[in-house]
Amino acid sequence: MSDDEPLMTVTTEHLNTGLRGIPVGTCLTSFVTPTEGVHYCGYPVADLAHLPVEDVIYLLFEKELPTSEQASSFRSNLSARGSVDASVHPVLASLPRSGHPMDWLSIGIHTLGMAETTGDWKDDALNLVARMPRLLGLIFRYRDGRVEDIPEDDLSLGLVDRFIRTLEPVGTDVEKMREVLNAYLVLHLDHGGGNLSTFTGKATASGKATLYASMASAMNSLSGPLHGRANQSCLEFVLRVGTSEPSEVERFIRAELDAKRPVYGFGHAVLRAEDPRATYQFALGERLCPEDPNFAIVRTLREVAPRILAENPKISNPHANVDIASGTLLHHVGLTDPEYYTTFFGWARVAGIGAQIVDEQTVMRSGKGVPIYRPKYIAEGQTARRL
Ligand code: HAX
């Protein structure tokens, strides 16, 4: 694109539409296409989903996949950054267990920032990436009241294994849990520049709030039911369907639509095909848990729902989205409480949002960074007045 080429004409029709489709900046980490979904630095996400999450985090920060030496040095780098300050324990111990885990996550991130902020965007972003698995594991432990004998962190382990070590799951196939969590994280790391949580995090950072304060803002955005919390609603929906018999599933879907309720796990604002992140997770489910009754429901939903949704011409995309199978996979590996699912989403997004904040604050405009956000609002229903 040339410097003076108009990208679009903004008309009054665009006002009060949440900036939908209005170009506001550039993104160096990812883009989304209607058919292939999200790409990280050019790679379709489905091509990356089998890689260790640390390698894909490296990609988002460095814009290249690591060589094996770079991958091993990046793991050591994260290990050196991973220690979580002891002040997090009394803070988590004091929070109401009735609070949503996303509120705990936001407060946990703020606490880490109060304990130590370097002021260097990239150091703070990578420090937080390295501290997330321990923080999240501790949130689970304190909310469950399992606070006796929490194992020490083992910084020599990878990110997923550090979470599992802190969690100490009982009666779970840890190999499967590791594979499901690694894939979940890779698939949720980033999603272009303009999604609400990423935008919020970058907007907060543009006022030179700390990386931690910016990320807590992003997590607060992500916690909304129209944004990240949809993945919690999706598993709740699957549990409500309760049968994998196609005609009963069809009856259930039609009743939901008649009641003006959404059919969770289907549709997307940008994609116009099945989300490749859903396709990957369907294949993972067929391999890891083909007999799981919830997975059987998801399989039937995938067969039945698009046909019914396509009957409504208003629905731009009747196909499965990323949230359709992720909750069922997490449930299968022992992470059974859907209230926590958005915190896994948040854990993943800390890397993508962190990388985008670093880019906006240290790379854009030849390193000068993006100035404080200040979109224009036009006064309405007001005339100049004097007392
Ligand atoms: N069930 C019922 N109605 C649906 C629908 C679905 N799965 N998908 C779209 N529609 C409806 C919309 O509500 C909208 O209705 P109105 O005109 O009455 O407002 C109409 O069809 C047109 O919608 P659209 O243009 O196709 O899609 P939107 O960009 O407006 O909405 C949503 C995209 C994802 C919000 C929507 O498809 C939806 O509500 N899906 C179900 C909930 C869900 O699975 N959410 C997770 C999305 C994944 C994600 O991005 N997570 O972050």
Side-chain angles (χ1 to χ4, degrees):
M1 84 196 149
S2 72
D3 282 355
D4 52 0
E5 184 187 331
L7 295 171
M8 72 180 293
T9 306
V10 178
T11 69
T12 52
E13 293 290 302
H14 293 103
L15 300 179
N16 299 326
T17 62
L19 286 171
R20 252 159 211 259
I22 299 181
V24 290
T26 55
C27 177
L28 304 175
T29 56
S30 61
F31 60 86
V32 186
T33 67
T35 51
E36 282 198 287
V38 66
H39 297 60
Y40 299 157
C41 300
Y43 296 99
V45 70
D47 290 5
L48 302 169
H50 63 285
L51 295 177
V53 66
E54 291 84 354
D55 290 3
V56 190
I57 293 173
Y58 180 98
L59 170 68
L60 293 175
F61 278 88
E62 305 303 331
K63 320 304 185 231
E64 292 290 348
L65 280 170
T67 62
S68 59
E69 291 87 65
Q70 286 165 334
S72 125
S73 129
F74 186 58
R75 276 180 186 66
S76 309
N77 185 335
L78 289 178
S79 296
R81 297 170 180 276
S83 183
V84 161
D85 193 83
S87 60
V88 164
H89 289 264
V91 171
L92 295 183
S94 71
L95 296 179
R97 287 201 210 156
S98 55
H100 194 276
M102 281 304 283
D103 294 337
W104 282 57
L105 181 59
S106 174
I107 288 168
I109 290 172
H110 261 306
T111 309
L112 291 177
M114 284 186 263
E116 190 226 52
T117 297
T118 70
D120 179 281
W121 293 107
K122 190 169 182 183
D123 272 332
D124 284 334
L126 290 175
N127 286 345
L128 182 55
V129 165
R131 292 167 194 175
M132 283 299 288
R134 178 69 174 176
L135 174 62
L136 199 52
L138 290 176
I139 289 174
F140 272 72
R141 296 290 301 234
Y142 277 95
R143 283 177 55 83
D144 291 353
R146 292 191 300 126
V147 292
E148 299 300 319
D149 304 322
I150 298 176
E152 290 293 314
D153 203 354
D154 179 351
L155 296 169
S156 69
L157 299 174
L159 296 175
V160 171
D161 279 319
R162 282 178 50 221
F163 168 73
I164 294 174
R165 179 182 164 86
T166 304
L167 184 66
E168 287 191 306
V170 180
T172 302
D173 181 333
V174 169
E175 282 293 316
K176 277 191 187 177
M177 183 185 267
R178 183 182 294 122
E179 184 168 1
V180 165
L181 279 176
N182 187 82
Y184 183 96
L185 291 175
V186 173
L187 295 173
H188 287 80
L189 285 174
D190 203 32
H191 207 251
N195 66 80
L196 181 63
S197 49
T198 305
F199 184 81
T200 304
K202 292 187 296 190
T204 307
S206 78
K208 308 297 182 212
T210 66
L211 183 283
Y212 290 88
S214 305
M215 200 61 76
S217 300
M219 292 302 116
N220 294 338
S221 272
L222 190 66
S223 72
L226 294 186
H227 192 16
R229 210 186 286 192
N231 66 358
Q232 169 180 336
S233 310
C234 250
L235 182 69
E236 290 163 350
F237 180 80
V238 169
L239 297 176
R240 274 181 56 232
V241 176
T243 170
S244 58
E245 208 285 307
S247 61
E248 287 179 40
V249 171
E250 173 156 358
R251 202 170 314 123
F252 181 91
I253 292 172
R254 291 195 186 281
E256 290 297 288
L257 291 172
D258 287 346
K260 307 275 177 247
R261 284 193 288 266
V263 177
Y264 281 96
F266 295 86
H268 201 270
V270 180
L271 273 147
R272 293 296 172 259
E274 181 171 284
D275 189 328
R277 298 174 298 175
T279 312
Y280 186 89
Q281 292 181 95
F282 283 130
L284 191 59
E286 293 295 353
R287 187 158 56 76
L288 297 185
C289 56
E291 309 297 338
D292 182 296
N294 293 327
F295 189 71
I297 295 171
V298 163
R299 192 191 284 122
T300 307
L301 280 169
R302 183 194 197 187
E303 284 160 19
V304 171
R307 173 172 53 79
I308 300 169
L309 293 172
E311 291 169 8
N312 179 352
K314 275 196 329 189
I315 298 182
S316 337
N317 176 13
H319 301 290
N321 64 45
V322 64
D323 292 329
I324 181 65
S326 59
T328 295
L329 291 172
L330 292 170
H331 191 274
H332 180 78
V333 297
L335 300 161
T336 52
D337 184 350
E339 259 213 327
Y340 284 100
Y341 293 174
T342 315
T343 61
F344 292 117
F345 192 168
W347 174 10
R349 271 303 152 87
V350 159
I353 297 171
Q356 291 201 36
I357 289 176
V358 171
D359 291 341
E360 277 217 358
Q361 291 305 313
T362 70
V363 178
M364 301 306 187
R365 300 205 307 163
S366 310
K368 205 165 128 196
V370 172
I372 187 167
Y373 280 29
R374 191 65 170 95
K376 183 180 173 75
Y377 278 74
I378 293 164
E380 186 182 11
Q382 307 170 63
T383 48
R385 290 195 275 189
R386 283 240 163 85
L387 276 180

